Every structure is written in C-alpha cells, then in structure tokens.
Amino acid sequence: MRNIVYYVASSLDGYISGPEEDISMYVSEGSGVEQYLKDLQSFDTVIMGRRTYEFGYKFGLKPGQPAYPHMEHHIFSENMQLETPDPKVHVHPRSLDIIRHLKKKEGTDIYLCGGGVFAGWLLENELIDYLIIKLSPIILGSGIQLFGGVKKQTQNELIDTQTYDHGLIMLTYRIGY
C-alpha cells in the first residue's frame, strides 16, 4: 500500500501560510529548496484541496493544467469544475473511499500538497503516513494552520532531520495513530 506524505513548509508557530495566503517570508532558495524540488520527482501522484490548487493560479498555473507535470493530480472539492482539464488532472468530491483507493493503487508514495484544512481532514481519518516539515525560521502569528485547527492527537516518530542554509530544517516524522 502506498503512503501519503504531507510534505509542507511551516513556520515555527505552525502556519503553512500567513494572512491572506502570504508565503513571502518562507525560505525560497538554497539547498533545502533544491532538495525539496528533487524529492518531488520521486512522486507520481499528488492530492490536494481546491484552495491549494487554485493558489497556483497566483504563480501562472492555468485552470485544468497540472501543477506538477510528471504527477497524476487528484483535487478534492465539492464545487470545483474545470472546463478542459489535462488528462492528468482529476477532480473528486471529498471521499475517504477515493483516498483509500488511491493508496491501494500501484505507484509511488502519494504527495499531499496542502492545504491545512484538507490535511486536517486526512489526519482526523488517520490517512497521513509521513509528515515532512520544511521548517522555516519565521513566526507568522496567524494564517493557515498546518492541520487546519484539527484537534486529533498523535504520537509521532522523528525519523530524519536535515539542516540546510538560510536556517531551513527538514523534519521527517512517521505519524503514529
């Protein structure tokens, strides 16, 4: 069975973006970012919520276009409609059955590309297997929380720590339910 890996940037106070989806304070260059981009090449499938997909529009992504050309995209939304999606872009209603089906399919681990509310729903349903935090040395005070304010408690195992320039630390955890 494939694992779901939530690979995400976070501030020291647990936000994946600041107010109004601002990500300008996050470490955006250097060896840690290069490692992240290299790591993304190991995934053949990405899952995300509608707001995360649409966030890409701010950076030139066109509706229906894959954000990661080498990956199958599964966007979970009750109301998103794309007129002419690329064959690699699929929109589904939020469904545990679909997530479980994706985990059982042949392929690499699955990249969970935010956002906080969607990740919180997956955590509540015990479907995230690994968490890789790209921890930036910033405090944002508010914004989108890592798990969208979900109250689920887990005891996680730290399995790797890597330090990069600009104060970026990558922390890899196995989620314990």
Side-chain angles (χ1 to χ4, degrees):
M1 185 172 298
R2 304 196 295 174
N3 294 304
I4 293 179
V5 180
Y6 187 22
Y7 200 151
V8 63
S10 178
S11 64
L12 294 172
D13 54 347
Y15 292 98
I16 63 173
S17 73
E20 298 181 32
E21 300 179 336
D22 181 16
I23 60 168
S24 63
M25 289 183 64
Y26 285 95
V27 173
S28 61
E29 60 184 19
S31 59
V33 174
E34 291 168 10
Q35 183 63 52
Y36 164 70
L37 295 173
K38 180 181 171 192
D39 291 346
L40 288 184
Q41 297 306 308
S42 69
F43 296 101
D44 65 7
T45 303
V46 60
I47 59 175
M48 65 184 79
R50 176 192 56 81
R51 286 181 56 196
T52 298
Y53 182 75
E54 290 176 345
F55 181 73
Y57 298 170
K58 295 180 181 183
F59 302 94
L61 183 69
K62 303 288 186 238
Q65 177 182 24
Y68 307 97
H70 70 283
M71 294 185 208
E72 281 294 314
H73 289 57
H74 296 275
I75 304 161
F76 291 84
S77 171
E78 302 305 317
N79 57 17
M80 175 179 253
Q81 294 185 356
L82 299 171
E83 287 185 30
T84 54
D86 183 278
K88 288 187 169 195
V89 176
H90 314 280
V91 179
H92 311 280
R94 192 184 285 192
S95 163
L96 295 174
D97 289 337
I98 293 171
I99 298 289
R100 289 182 182 116
H101 173 75
L102 290 172
K103 285 181 65 102
K104 290 178 183 173
K105 283 180 71 172
E106 184 110 359
T108 68
D109 285 344
I110 299 167
Y111 169 44
L112 168 55
C113 180
V117 172
F118 185 58
W121 176 72
L122 291 171
L123 185 74
E124 277 284 321
N125 289 284
E126 301 185 358
L127 288 167
I128 299 174
D129 302 288
Y130 291 91
L131 170 63
I132 303 174
I133 297 178
K134 300 175 293 183
L135 190 63
S136 282
I138 59 174
I139 295 174
L140 296 175
S142 66
I144 298 173
Q145 295 176 318
L146 191 61
F147 289 102
V150 164
K151 306 293 186 225
K152 176 84 172 173
Q153 295 182 350
T154 63
Q155 182 65 44
N156 310 304
E157 176 188 358
L158 179 64
I159 58 175
D160 191 37
T161 303
Q162 298 291 325
T163 303
Y164 297 93
D165 49 358
H166 306 291
L168 185 72
I169 300 172
M170 296 260 204
L171 303 165
T172 302
Y173 293 93
R174 180 177 295 114
I175 304 294
Y177 295 105

